[in-house]
Amino acid sequence: MSMRRIISLTAFLSFFVMLLTSVILYIVPQGRVAYWADWRLWTLSKDQWGAIHINAGFLLLLSIILHIYYNWKPIVLYLKNQAKQITIFTKEFNAALILTLILVVGTYVEIPPFSTIINISDGFKESAAKEYGEPPYGHAELSSIKTFSKKMNIDLKAGIKFLEEAGYKISQDTQTLKEIAKENNISPQQIYLIISRESNKESLFSGKTTTLPENPPPGTGNLTLADFCSQYNLNIKIITRSLKESNIVSKADMTIKKIGETNKISPTDIYEQIKLITSKNLEN
């Protein structure tokens, strides 16, 4: 067997794996969404694709180092000028260096086409967030079902009962949503939908609102007002009417971020205004 061929083919195959995983990680949902909805592609999770990407990178790096070792003479020839003297800054090296610097600086200052590439990736992630749904707060799947229920104003005993009626097992209320989901082969998001069934039903018929978290959870700005109200059992008609009374233009299909941009205020201000509306409704 030829070591040169093995190294060259290993570099080629590891590059192919790197290329594939790079494309997948380019379009994969944000971590909070992927973990919440248990996102998978070809049965592999976001973390598993990331692990393959990292290890393939190390294999590619190792094969490139060995490739350089076995092809040192040709590489040295690339660094020689017309006088056959070794010089690092040849015309070819300078061209490669300039291209690399343009990429780094262009990405840093966020100018097209480099910013466009990033924006397209963000677009994929925002679409995924709308499709799969956002968690009510960051890393909600790591909360125990007891803590989660308390934060979301859900009756713990009723929630556990709903899970058992649906055929899912739960050992104790200190288990995290992620652990329960893994044991029952479902996503943390599905657990939330099941245990919140009673509160959703109550809100649907009584019109009562729930207490929002103190600070807006990650990804709140990307939620449409309709999705936001659905997530927190809020009456969207009351919310839009109350926002209008505060001279804030809003529509059900507008994201919180878009509402902020339209009214020239921050998404956080929109969130605080909705929180104020819900607190007033609770008092009444």
PDB file of all heavy atoms in Angstrom, residues 130-167:
ATOM      1  N   LYS A 130     -39.807  28.977  13.616  1.00  0.00           N
ATOM      2  CA  LYS A 130     -41.248  29.101  13.403  1.00  0.00           C
ATOM      3  C   LYS A 130     -41.887  27.736  13.208  1.00  0.00           C
ATOM      4  O   LYS A 130     -43.009  27.494  13.658  1.00  0.00           O
ATOM      5  CB  LYS A 130     -41.515  29.982  12.177  1.00  0.00           C
ATOM      6  CG  LYS A 130     -41.151  31.443  12.373  1.00  0.00           C
ATOM      7  CD  LYS A 130     -41.411  32.252  11.113  1.00  0.00           C
ATOM      8  CE  LYS A 130     -41.005  33.712  11.314  1.00  0.00           C
ATOM      9  NZ  LYS A 130     -41.231  34.505  10.076  1.00  0.00           N
ATOM     10  N   GLU A 131     -41.160  26.846  12.513  1.00  0.00           N
ATOM     11  CA  GLU A 131     -41.704  25.515  12.223  1.00  0.00           C
ATOM     12  C   GLU A 131     -41.747  24.622  13.459  1.00  0.00           C
ATOM     13  O   GLU A 131     -42.751  23.949  13.719  1.00  0.00           O
ATOM     14  CB  GLU A 131     -40.869  24.839  11.144  1.00  0.00           C
ATOM     15  CG  GLU A 131     -41.354  23.451  10.773  1.00  0.00           C
ATOM     16  CD  GLU A 131     -40.520  22.794   9.692  1.00  0.00           C
ATOM     17  OE1 GLU A 131     -39.636  23.485   9.119  1.00  0.00           O
ATOM     18  OE2 GLU A 131     -40.746  21.602   9.406  1.00  0.00           O
ATOM     19  N   TYR A 132     -40.648  24.623  14.230  1.00  0.00           N
ATOM     20  CA  TYR A 132     -40.544  23.698  15.358  1.00  0.00           C
ATOM     21  C   TYR A 132     -40.982  24.317  16.688  1.00  0.00           C
ATOM     22  O   TYR A 132     -41.282  23.604  17.632  1.00  0.00           O
ATOM     23  CB  TYR A 132     -39.109  23.181  15.491  1.00  0.00           C
ATOM     24  CG  TYR A 132     -38.645  22.407  14.283  1.00  0.00           C
ATOM     25  CD1 TYR A 132     -37.702  22.931  13.420  1.00  0.00           C
ATOM     26  CD2 TYR A 132     -39.168  21.148  14.000  1.00  0.00           C
ATOM     27  CE1 TYR A 132     -37.276  22.226  12.301  1.00  0.00           C
ATOM     28  CE2 TYR A 132     -38.749  20.435  12.885  1.00  0.00           C
ATOM     29  CZ  TYR A 132     -37.800  20.982  12.039  1.00  0.00           C
ATOM     30  OH  TYR A 132     -37.389  20.287  10.943  1.00  0.00           O
ATOM     31  N   GLY A 133     -40.986  25.664  16.764  1.00  0.00           N
ATOM     32  CA  GLY A 133     -41.396  26.333  17.998  1.00  0.00           C
ATOM     33  C   GLY A 133     -40.236  26.621  18.930  1.00  0.00           C
ATOM     34  O   GLY A 133     -39.235  25.902  18.935  1.00  0.00           O
ATOM     35  N   GLU A 134     -40.366  27.695  19.678  1.00  0.00           N
ATOM     36  CA  GLU A 134     -39.335  28.116  20.623  1.00  0.00           C
ATOM     37  C   GLU A 134     -39.664  27.592  22.024  1.00  0.00           C
ATOM     38  O   GLU A 134     -40.837  27.452  22.384  1.00  0.00           O
ATOM     39  CB  GLU A 134     -39.268  29.645  20.688  1.00  0.00           C
ATOM     40  CG  GLU A 134     -38.815  30.316  19.405  1.00  0.00           C
ATOM     41  CD  GLU A 134     -37.322  30.515  19.365  1.00  0.00           C
ATOM     42  OE1 GLU A 134     -36.640  30.070  20.309  1.00  0.00           O
ATOM     43  OE2 GLU A 134     -36.831  31.123  18.394  1.00  0.00           O
ATOM     44  N   PRO A 135     -38.650  27.306  22.823  1.00  0.00           N
ATOM     45  CA  PRO A 135     -38.912  26.931  24.219  1.00  0.00           C
ATOM     46  C   PRO A 135     -39.389  28.155  24.997  1.00  0.00           C
ATOM     47  O   PRO A 135     -39.072  29.293  24.605  1.00  0.00           O
ATOM     48  CB  PRO A 135     -37.541  26.461  24.711  1.00  0.00           C
ATOM     49  CG  PRO A 135     -36.564  27.208  23.860  1.00  0.00           C
ATOM     50  CD  PRO A 135     -37.211  27.309  22.512  1.00  0.00           C
ATOM     51  N   PRO A 136     -40.137  27.982  26.070  1.00  0.00           N
ATOM     52  CA  PRO A 136     -40.629  29.136  26.838  1.00  0.00           C
ATOM     53  C   PRO A 136     -39.514  29.936  27.492  1.00  0.00           C
ATOM     54  O   PRO A 136     -39.671  31.119  27.775  1.00  0.00           O
ATOM     55  CB  PRO A 136     -41.554  28.506  27.880  1.00  0.00           C
ATOM     56  CG  PRO A 136     -41.133  27.080  27.949  1.00  0.00           C
ATOM     57  CD  PRO A 136     -40.648  26.719  26.584  1.00  0.00           C
ATOM     58  N   TYR A 137     -38.372  29.297  27.739  1.00  0.00           N
ATOM     59  CA  TYR A 137     -37.185  30.002  28.237  1.00  0.00           C
ATOM     60  C   TYR A 137     -35.954  29.164  27.901  1.00  0.00           C
ATOM     61  O   TYR A 137     -36.062  27.986  27.534  1.00  0.00           O
ATOM     62  CB  TYR A 137     -37.280  30.278  29.749  1.00  0.00           C
ATOM     63  CG  TYR A 137     -37.485  29.058  30.618  1.00  0.00           C
ATOM     64  CD1 TYR A 137     -36.406  28.322  31.110  1.00  0.00           C
ATOM     65  CD2 TYR A 137     -38.772  28.650  30.972  1.00  0.00           C
ATOM     66  CE1 TYR A 137     -36.601  27.212  31.913  1.00  0.00           C
ATOM     67  CE2 TYR A 137     -38.975  27.530  31.772  1.00  0.00           C
ATOM     68  CZ  TYR A 137     -37.883  26.821  32.246  1.00  0.00           C
ATOM     69  OH  TYR A 137     -38.078  25.714  33.034  1.00  0.00           O
ATOM     70  N   GLY A 138     -34.778  29.777  27.999  1.00  0.00           N
ATOM     71  CA  GLY A 138     -33.546  29.113  27.604  1.00  0.00           C
ATOM     72  C   GLY A 138     -33.287  27.811  28.345  1.00  0.00           C
ATOM     73  O   GLY A 138     -33.389  27.762  29.566  1.00  0.00           O
ATOM     74  N   HIS A 139     -32.965  26.758  27.587  1.00  0.00           N
ATOM     75  CA  HIS A 139     -32.653  25.430  28.129  1.00  0.00           C
ATOM     76  C   HIS A 139     -33.753  24.935  29.065  1.00  0.00           C
ATOM     77  O   HIS A 139     -33.479  24.352  30.121  1.00  0.00           O
ATOM     78  CB  HIS A 139     -31.310  25.458  28.860  1.00  0.00           C
ATOM     79  CG  HIS A 139     -30.137  25.653  27.944  1.00  0.00           C
ATOM     80  ND1 HIS A 139     -29.782  24.709  26.994  1.00  0.00           N
ATOM     81  CD2 HIS A 139     -29.271  26.676  27.815  1.00  0.00           C
ATOM     82  CE1 HIS A 139     -28.714  25.141  26.333  1.00  0.00           C
ATOM     83  NE2 HIS A 139     -28.399  26.331  26.789  1.00  0.00           N
ATOM     84  N   ALA A 140     -34.994  25.141  28.649  1.00  0.00           N
ATOM     85  CA  ALA A 140     -36.137  24.674  29.440  1.00  0.00           C
ATOM     86  C   ALA A 140     -36.114  23.155  29.589  1.00  0.00           C
ATOM     87  O   ALA A 140     -36.587  22.613  30.588  1.00  0.00           O
ATOM     88  CB  ALA A 140     -37.441  25.117  28.778  1.00  0.00           C
ATOM     89  N   GLU A 141     -35.545  22.475  28.584  1.00  0.00           N
ATOM     90  CA  GLU A 141     -35.515  21.008  28.622  1.00  0.00           C
ATOM     91  C   GLU A 141     -34.661  20.457  29.759  1.00  0.00           C
ATOM     92  O   GLU A 141     -34.781  19.293  30.144  1.00  0.00           O
ATOM     93  CB  GLU A 141     -35.005  20.448  27.276  1.00  0.00           C
ATOM     94  CG  GLU A 141     -33.526  20.605  27.011  1.00  0.00           C
ATOM     95  CD  GLU A 141     -33.119  21.992  26.544  1.00  0.00           C
ATOM     96  OE1 GLU A 141     -34.020  22.836  26.336  1.00  0.00           O
ATOM     97  OE2 GLU A 141     -31.907  22.238  26.372  1.00  0.00           O
ATOM     98  N   LEU A 142     -33.789  21.319  30.332  1.00  0.00           N
ATOM     99  CA  LEU A 142     -32.921  20.887  31.426  1.00  0.00           C
ATOM    100  C   LEU A 142     -33.557  21.096  32.796  1.00  0.00           C
ATOM    101  O   LEU A 142     -32.991  20.687  33.815  1.00  0.00           O
ATOM    102  CB  LEU A 142     -31.583  21.627  31.357  1.00  0.00           C
ATOM    103  CG  LEU A 142     -30.755  21.405  30.079  1.00  0.00           C
ATOM    104  CD1 LEU A 142     -29.456  22.188  30.143  1.00  0.00           C
ATOM    105  CD2 LEU A 142     -30.481  19.919  29.857  1.00  0.00           C
ATOM    106  N   SER A 143     -34.722  21.718  32.815  1.00  0.00           N
ATOM    107  CA  SER A 143     -35.448  21.927  34.084  1.00  0.00           C
ATOM    108  C   SER A 143     -36.179  20.645  34.472  1.00  0.00           C
ATOM    109  O   SER A 143     -36.655  19.901  33.612  1.00  0.00           O
ATOM    110  CB  SER A 143     -36.463  23.060  33.947  1.00  0.00           C
ATOM    111  OG  SER A 143     -35.830  24.288  33.676  1.00  0.00           O
ATOM    112  N   SER A 144     -36.277  20.409  35.769  1.00  0.00           N
ATOM    113  CA  SER A 144     -37.082  19.278  36.221  1.00  0.00           C
ATOM    114  C   SER A 144     -38.537  19.607  35.918  1.00  0.00           C
ATOM    115  O   SER A 144     -38.914  20.780  35.809  1.00  0.00           O
ATOM    116  CB  SER A 144     -36.901  19.056  37.724  1.00  0.00           C
ATOM    117  OG  SER A 144     -37.472  20.130  38.458  1.00  0.00           O
ATOM    118  N   ILE A 145     -39.363  18.581  35.789  1.00  0.00           N
ATOM    119  CA  ILE A 145     -40.766  18.820  35.467  1.00  0.00           C
ATOM    120  C   ILE A 145     -41.445  19.602  36.597  1.00  0.00           C
ATOM    121  O   ILE A 145     -42.366  20.378  36.363  1.00  0.00           O
ATOM    122  CB  ILE A 145     -41.500  17.484  35.194  1.00  0.00           C
ATOM    123  CG1 ILE A 145     -42.892  17.764  34.624  1.00  0.00           C
ATOM    124  CG2 ILE A 145     -41.581  16.629  36.454  1.00  0.00           C
ATOM    125  CD1 ILE A 145     -43.605  16.526  34.109  1.00  0.00           C
ATOM    126  N   LYS A 146     -40.930  19.442  37.804  1.00  0.00           N
ATOM    127  CA  LYS A 146     -41.468  20.174  38.950  1.00  0.00           C
ATOM    128  C   LYS A 146     -41.163  21.669  38.826  1.00  0.00           C
ATOM    129  O   LYS A 146     -42.046  22.511  38.984  1.00  0.00           O
ATOM    130  CB  LYS A 146     -40.872  19.621  40.242  1.00  0.00           C
ATOM    131  CG  LYS A 146     -41.400  20.273  41.509  1.00  0.00           C
ATOM    132  CD  LYS A 146     -40.792  19.623  42.755  1.00  0.00           C
ATOM    133  CE  LYS A 146     -41.343  20.247  44.026  1.00  0.00           C
ATOM    134  NZ  LYS A 146     -40.759  19.611  45.235  1.00  0.00           N
ATOM    135  N   THR A 147     -39.892  21.982  38.526  1.00  0.00           N
ATOM    136  CA  THR A 147     -39.479  23.387  38.362  1.00  0.00           C
ATOM    137  C   THR A 147     -40.151  24.008  37.154  1.00  0.00           C
ATOM    138  O   THR A 147     -40.619  25.152  37.205  1.00  0.00           O
ATOM    139  CB  THR A 147     -37.953  23.476  38.212  1.00  0.00           C
ATOM    140  OG1 THR A 147     -37.335  22.915  39.372  1.00  0.00           O
ATOM    141  CG2 THR A 147     -37.503  24.915  38.042  1.00  0.00           C
ATOM    142  N   PHE A 148     -40.199  23.257  36.063  1.00  0.00           N
ATOM    143  CA  PHE A 148     -40.806  23.750  34.827  1.00  0.00           C
ATOM    144  C   PHE A 148     -42.278  24.088  35.047  1.00  0.00           C
ATOM    145  O   PHE A 148     -42.753  25.140  34.616  1.00  0.00           O
ATOM    146  CB  PHE A 148     -40.659  22.711  33.725  1.00  0.00           C
ATOM    147  CG  PHE A 148     -41.213  23.132  32.393  1.00  0.00           C
ATOM    148  CD1 PHE A 148     -40.476  23.940  31.550  1.00  0.00           C
ATOM    149  CD2 PHE A 148     -42.487  22.726  31.993  1.00  0.00           C
ATOM    150  CE1 PHE A 148     -40.985  24.342  30.324  1.00  0.00           C
ATOM    151  CE2 PHE A 148     -43.007  23.124  30.776  1.00  0.00           C
ATOM    152  CZ  PHE A 148     -42.252  23.934  29.936  1.00  0.00           C
ATOM    153  N   SER A 149     -42.992  23.195  35.710  1.00  0.00           N
ATOM    154  CA  SER A 149     -44.419  23.411  35.961  1.00  0.00           C
ATOM    155  C   SER A 149     -44.644  24.659  36.810  1.00  0.00           C
ATOM    156  O   SER A 149     -45.572  25.433  36.566  1.00  0.00           O
ATOM    157  CB  SER A 149     -45.025  22.192  36.662  1.00  0.00           C
ATOM    158  OG  SER A 149     -44.927  21.047  35.852  1.00  0.00           O
ATOM    159  N   LYS A 150     -43.763  24.859  37.785  1.00  0.00           N
ATOM    160  CA  LYS A 150     -43.885  26.032  38.657  1.00  0.00           C
ATOM    161  C   LYS A 150     -43.661  27.315  37.870  1.00  0.00           C
ATOM    162  O   LYS A 150     -44.396  28.296  38.026  1.00  0.00           O
ATOM    163  CB  LYS A 150     -42.868  25.926  39.802  1.00  0.00           C
ATOM    164  CG  LYS A 150     -42.982  27.047  40.822  1.00  0.00           C
ATOM    165  CD  LYS A 150     -41.995  26.838  41.968  1.00  0.00           C
ATOM    166  CE  LYS A 150     -42.135  27.961  43.000  1.00  0.00           C
ATOM    167  NZ  LYS A 150     -41.174  27.774  44.120  1.00  0.00           N
ATOM    168  N   LYS A 151     -42.641  27.307  36.995  1.00  0.00           N
ATOM    169  CA  LYS A 151     -42.333  28.499  36.200  1.00  0.00           C
ATOM    170  C   LYS A 151     -43.447  28.823  35.212  1.00  0.00           C
ATOM    171  O   LYS A 151     -43.715  29.992  34.929  1.00  0.00           O
ATOM    172  CB  LYS A 151     -41.019  28.303  35.434  1.00  0.00           C
ATOM    173  CG  LYS A 151     -39.775  28.451  36.277  1.00  0.00           C
ATOM    174  CD  LYS A 151     -38.527  28.456  35.399  1.00  0.00           C
ATOM    175  CE  LYS A 151     -37.281  28.726  36.223  1.00  0.00           C
ATOM    176  NZ  LYS A 151     -36.065  28.849  35.378  1.00  0.00           N
ATOM    177  N   MET A 152     -44.080  27.777  34.675  1.00  0.00           N
ATOM    178  CA  MET A 152     -45.091  27.971  33.641  1.00  0.00           C
ATOM    179  C   MET A 152     -46.517  27.985  34.199  1.00  0.00           C
ATOM    180  O   MET A 152     -47.484  27.978  33.441  1.00  0.00           O
ATOM    181  CB  MET A 152     -44.969  26.850  32.598  1.00  0.00           C
ATOM    182  CG  MET A 152     -43.627  26.793  31.890  1.00  0.00           C
ATOM    183  SD  MET A 152     -43.156  28.349  31.116  1.00  0.00           S
ATOM    184  CE  MET A 152     -44.467  28.535  29.924  1.00  0.00           C
ATOM    185  N   ASN A 153     -46.642  28.014  35.548  1.00  0.00           N
ATOM    186  CA  ASN A 153     -47.958  28.064  36.193  1.00  0.00           C
ATOM    187  C   ASN A 153     -48.843  26.882  35.770  1.00  0.00           C
ATOM    188  O   ASN A 153     -50.033  27.038  35.476  1.00  0.00           O
ATOM    189  CB  ASN A 153     -48.673  29.382  35.864  1.00  0.00           C
ATOM    190  CG  ASN A 153     -47.936  30.578  36.419  1.00  0.00           C
ATOM    191  OD1 ASN A 153     -47.433  30.544  37.534  1.00  0.00           O
ATOM    192  ND2 ASN A 153     -47.857  31.642  35.630  1.00  0.00           N
ATOM    193  N   ILE A 154     -48.237  25.701  35.729  1.00  0.00           N
ATOM    194  CA  ILE A 154     -48.952  24.478  35.355  1.00  0.00           C
ATOM    195  C   ILE A 154     -49.145  23.612  36.599  1.00  0.00           C
ATOM    196  O   ILE A 154     -48.229  23.487  37.416  1.00  0.00           O
ATOM    197  CB  ILE A 154     -48.163  23.690  34.283  1.00  0.00           C
ATOM    198  CG1 ILE A 154     -48.108  24.494  32.975  1.00  0.00           C
ATOM    199  CG2 ILE A 154     -48.787  22.331  34.026  1.00  0.00           C
ATOM    200  CD1 ILE A 154     -47.197  23.885  31.929  1.00  0.00           C
ATOM    201  N   ASP A 155     -50.320  23.032  36.740  1.00  0.00           N
ATOM    202  CA  ASP A 155     -50.597  22.129  37.858  1.00  0.00           C
ATOM    203  C   ASP A 155     -49.775  20.859  37.661  1.00  0.00           C
ATOM    204  O   ASP A 155     -50.015  20.091  36.719  1.00  0.00           O
ATOM    205  CB  ASP A 155     -52.094  21.798  37.891  1.00  0.00           C
ATOM    206  CG  ASP A 155     -52.480  20.994  39.137  1.00  0.00           C
ATOM    207  OD1 ASP A 155     -51.785  19.999  39.440  1.00  0.00           O
ATOM    208  OD2 ASP A 155     -53.463  21.360  39.795  1.00  0.00           O
ATOM    209  N   LEU A 156     -48.806  20.634  38.547  1.00  0.00           N
ATOM    210  CA  LEU A 156     -47.881  19.512  38.393  1.00  0.00           C
ATOM    211  C   LEU A 156     -48.604  18.169  38.418  1.00  0.00           C
ATOM    212  O   LEU A 156     -48.366  17.302  37.567  1.00  0.00           O
ATOM    213  CB  LEU A 156     -46.818  19.555  39.489  1.00  0.00           C
ATOM    214  CG  LEU A 156     -45.806  18.404  39.496  1.00  0.00           C
ATOM    215  CD1 LEU A 156     -45.033  18.344  38.190  1.00  0.00           C
ATOM    216  CD2 LEU A 156     -44.847  18.558  40.682  1.00  0.00           C
ATOM    217  N   LYS A 157     -49.484  17.979  39.388  1.00  0.00           N
ATOM    218  CA  LYS A 157     -50.181  16.694  39.512  1.00  0.00           C
ATOM    219  C   LYS A 157     -51.043  16.416  38.283  1.00  0.00           C
ATOM    220  O   LYS A 157     -51.082  15.291  37.776  1.00  0.00           O
ATOM    221  CB  LYS A 157     -51.055  16.699  40.773  1.00  0.00           C
ATOM    222  CG  LYS A 157     -50.250  16.673  42.075  1.00  0.00           C
ATOM    223  CD  LYS A 157     -51.169  16.607  43.276  1.00  0.00           C
ATOM    224  CE  LYS A 157     -50.359  16.544  44.577  1.00  0.00           C
ATOM    225  NZ  LYS A 157     -51.243  16.493  45.776  1.00  0.00           N
ATOM    226  N   ALA A 158     -51.721  17.453  37.816  1.00  0.00           N
ATOM    227  CA  ALA A 158     -52.565  17.287  36.624  1.00  0.00           C
ATOM    228  C   ALA A 158     -51.693  16.987  35.406  1.00  0.00           C
ATOM    229  O   ALA A 158     -52.049  16.142  34.573  1.00  0.00           O
ATOM    230  CB  ALA A 158     -53.385  18.550  36.383  1.00  0.00           C
ATOM    231  N   GLY A 159     -50.535  17.660  35.306  1.00  0.00           N
ATOM    232  CA  GLY A 159     -49.631  17.454  34.178  1.00  0.00           C
ATOM    233  C   GLY A 159     -49.113  16.023  34.133  1.00  0.00           C
ATOM    234  O   GLY A 159     -49.066  15.408  33.065  1.00  0.00           O
ATOM    235  N   ILE A 160     -48.700  15.516  35.296  1.00  0.00           N
ATOM    236  CA  ILE A 160     -48.203  14.133  35.372  1.00  0.00           C
ATOM    237  C   ILE A 160     -49.320  13.146  35.018  1.00  0.00           C
ATOM    238  O   ILE A 160     -49.091  12.143  34.339  1.00  0.00           O
ATOM    239  CB  ILE A 160     -47.649  13.838  36.776  1.00  0.00           C
ATOM    240  CG1 ILE A 160     -46.371  14.670  37.016  1.00  0.00           C
ATOM    241  CG2 ILE A 160     -47.347  12.351  36.939  1.00  0.00           C
ATOM    242  CD1 ILE A 160     -45.799  14.532  38.405  1.00  0.00           C
ATOM    243  N   LYS A 161     -50.525  13.462  35.461  1.00  0.00           N
ATOM    244  CA  LYS A 161     -51.673  12.613  35.151  1.00  0.00           C
ATOM    245  C   LYS A 161     -51.911  12.554  33.648  1.00  0.00           C
ATOM    246  O   LYS A 161     -52.176  11.479  33.078  1.00  0.00           O
ATOM    247  CB  LYS A 161     -52.916  13.152  35.864  1.00  0.00           C
ATOM    248  CG  LYS A 161     -54.171  12.330  35.607  1.00  0.00           C
ATOM    249  CD  LYS A 161     -55.383  12.952  36.293  1.00  0.00           C
ATOM    250  CE  LYS A 161     -56.642  12.160  35.964  1.00  0.00           C
ATOM    251  NZ  LYS A 161     -57.848  12.782  36.586  1.00  0.00           N
ATOM    252  N   PHE A 162     -51.808  13.709  32.992  1.00  0.00           N
ATOM    253  CA  PHE A 162     -52.001  13.764  31.538  1.00  0.00           C
ATOM    254  C   PHE A 162     -50.932  12.938  30.821  1.00  0.00           C
ATOM    255  O   PHE A 162     -51.214  12.267  29.831  1.00  0.00           O
ATOM    256  CB  PHE A 162     -51.949  15.210  31.043  1.00  0.00           C
ATOM    257  CG  PHE A 162     -53.156  16.020  31.431  1.00  0.00           C
ATOM    258  CD1 PHE A 162     -53.007  17.342  31.821  1.00  0.00           C
ATOM    259  CD2 PHE A 162     -54.426  15.471  31.411  1.00  0.00           C
ATOM    260  CE1 PHE A 162     -54.108  18.098  32.186  1.00  0.00           C
ATOM    261  CE2 PHE A 162     -55.540  16.218  31.770  1.00  0.00           C
ATOM    262  CZ  PHE A 162     -55.382  17.524  32.161  1.00  0.00           C
ATOM    263  N   LEU A 163     -49.697  12.991  31.331  1.00  0.00           N
ATOM    264  CA  LEU A 163     -48.610  12.209  30.731  1.00  0.00           C
ATOM    265  C   LEU A 163     -48.904  10.713  30.837  1.00  0.00           C
ATOM    266  O   LEU A 163     -48.730   9.963  29.872  1.00  0.00           O
ATOM    267  CB  LEU A 163     -47.283  12.527  31.420  1.00  0.00           C
ATOM    268  CG  LEU A 163     -46.531  13.776  30.969  1.00  0.00           C
ATOM    269  CD1 LEU A 163     -45.328  14.031  31.874  1.00  0.00           C
ATOM    270  CD2 LEU A 163     -46.058  13.644  29.526  1.00  0.00           C
ATOM    271  N   GLU A 164     -49.320  10.292  32.016  1.00  0.00           N
ATOM    272  CA  GLU A 164     -49.609   8.870  32.248  1.00  0.00           C
ATOM    273  C   GLU A 164     -50.799   8.411  31.417  1.00  0.00           C
ATOM    274  O   GLU A 164     -50.810   7.293  30.891  1.00  0.00           O
ATOM    275  CB  GLU A 164     -49.862   8.639  33.739  1.00  0.00           C
ATOM    276  CG  GLU A 164     -48.600   8.832  34.585  1.00  0.00           C
ATOM    277  CD  GLU A 164     -48.863   8.763  36.076  1.00  0.00           C
ATOM    278  OE1 GLU A 164     -50.061   8.882  36.458  1.00  0.00           O
ATOM    279  OE2 GLU A 164     -47.903   8.592  36.846  1.00  0.00           O
ATOM    280  N   GLU A 165     -51.812   9.276  31.277  1.00  0.00           N
ATOM    281  CA  GLU A 165     -52.978   8.934  30.470  1.00  0.00           C
ATOM    282  C   GLU A 165     -52.605   8.791  28.997  1.00  0.00           C
ATOM    283  O   GLU A 165     -53.234   8.020  28.250  1.00  0.00           O
ATOM    284  CB  GLU A 165     -54.068  10.006  30.623  1.00  0.00           C
ATOM    285  CG  GLU A 165     -54.765   9.991  31.969  1.00  0.00           C
ATOM    286  CD  GLU A 165     -55.779  11.115  32.109  1.00  0.00           C
ATOM    287  OE1 GLU A 165     -55.792  11.998  31.220  1.00  0.00           O
ATOM    288  OE2 GLU A 165     -56.544  11.117  33.094  1.00  0.00           O
ATOM    289  N   ALA A 166     -51.575   9.541  28.585  1.00  0.00           N
ATOM    290  CA  ALA A 166     -51.118   9.471  27.199  1.00  0.00           C
ATOM    291  C   ALA A 166     -50.196   8.276  26.959  1.00  0.00           C
ATOM    292  O   ALA A 166     -49.730   8.059  25.839  1.00  0.00           O
ATOM    293  CB  ALA A 166     -50.398  10.769  26.823  1.00  0.00           C
ATOM    294  N   GLY A 167     -49.902   7.525  28.023  1.00  0.00           N
ATOM    295  CA  GLY A 167     -49.084   6.324  27.887  1.00  0.00           C
ATOM    296  C   GLY A 167     -47.599   6.544  28.110  1.00  0.00           C
ATOM    297  O   GLY A 167     -46.782   5.679  27.767  1.00  0.00           O
TER     298      GLY A 167
END
